[in-house]
């Protein structure tokens, strides 16, 4: 352990900015997309496969929960318990993406690389925490959050994807 206060342990200010800016930007875009979908922007939400809704149900709580985990004290019982919930959400989110193939003529897309990373990295982060390898754990979960949530999440807003269509189509 270092001499840093528990809430600053191994979380650099630069990463805190990524958490705040990236997380809030992603949540704002998702809010815009869902509001426009509810107002009738195509594609109709009712016509989407159930697996997409399972994916959405796991990824949406993972963003604010991940933000909370990074911005609050580490090593507390709440951090450990909510960290387990977050990791389970991340694994479920990543696993469901392999059934979501709405672009590329049904083939995997580049976003699936983030999913593979999450499926490999999350158990490694869990093991590192269990072994008290906190620097390793911290680096891995920062990568999972930044790559698996923020980058992959923002990539769903590129033209041709459902979230882009809901948020920006017709503007």
């Amino acid at each position: 352990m270092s001499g840093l206060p528990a809430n600053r342990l191994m979380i650099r200010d630069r990463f805190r900015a990524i958490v705040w800016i990236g997380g809030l930007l992603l949540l704002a875009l998702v809010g815009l997309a869902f509001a426009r979908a509810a107002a009738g922007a195509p594609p109709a939400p009712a016509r989407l496969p159930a697996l997409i809704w399972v994916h959405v149900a796991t990824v949406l709580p993972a963003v604010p929960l991940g933000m909370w985990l990074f911005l609050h004290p580490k090593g507390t019982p709440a951090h450990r318990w909510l960290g387990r919930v977050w990791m389970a959400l991340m694994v479920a989110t990543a696993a469901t993406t392999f059934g979501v193939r709405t672009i590329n003529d049904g083939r995997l897309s580049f976003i699936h690389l983030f999913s593979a990373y999450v499926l490999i990295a999350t158990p490694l982060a869990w093991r590192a925490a269990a072994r008290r390898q906190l620097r390793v754990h911290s680096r891995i979960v920062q990568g999972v959050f930044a790559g698996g949530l923020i980058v992959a999440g923002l990539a769903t807003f590129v033209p041709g994807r459902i979230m882009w269509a809901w948020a920006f189509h017709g503007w």
Side-chain angles (χ1 to χ4, degrees):
M1 289 284 222
S2 88
L4 294 173
N7 65 338
R8 303 237 338 141
L9 182 63
M10 295 173 279
I11 305 297
R12 303 228 188 290
D13 289 337
R14 179 177 56 232
F15 190 74
R16 285 182 183 282
I18 290 170
V19 169
W20 273 110
I21 295 167
L24 292 176
L25 175 62
L26 183 58
L27 290 172
L29 286 171
V30 168
L32 171 66
F34 283 176
R36 294 204 60 229
R47 303 187 109 192
L48 296 177
L51 187 59
I52 289 178
W53 292 111
V54 171
H55 176 70
V56 168
T58 59
V59 76
L60 283 183
V63 177
L65 180 55
M67 292 174 70
W68 188 91
L69 286 164
F70 282 112
L71 299 172
H72 284 82
K74 312 297 173 262
T76 64
H79 176 84
R80 284 190 216 94
W81 188 82
L82 292 172
R84 289 180 183 111
V85 171
W86 183 74
M87 286 185 170
L89 287 169
M90 291 302 297
V91 167
T93 295
T96 59
T97 64
F98 290 101
V100 177
R101 299 180 188 190
T102 56
I103 63 170
N104 287 346
D105 298 319
R107 296 185 315 255
L108 297 177
S109 69
F110 76 96
I111 290 181
H112 292 97
L113 294 174
F114 293 105
S115 299
Y117 171 72
V118 169
L119 290 174
I120 293 166
T122 303
L124 296 176
W126 187 299
R127 187 178 78 184
R131 291 181 174 180
R132 309 292 296 154
Q133 297 170 329
L134 301 182
R135 289 193 188 279
V136 173
H137 170 77
S138 180
R139 287 186 183 125
I140 294 171
V141 294
Q142 287 176 31
V144 168
F145 183 86
L149 278 180
I150 303 302
V151 174
L154 293 174
T156 65
F157 288 90
V158 299
R161 301 194 58 96
I162 293 168
M163 296 300 281
W164 179 87
W166 281 347
F168 305 115
H169 185 72
W171 282 13

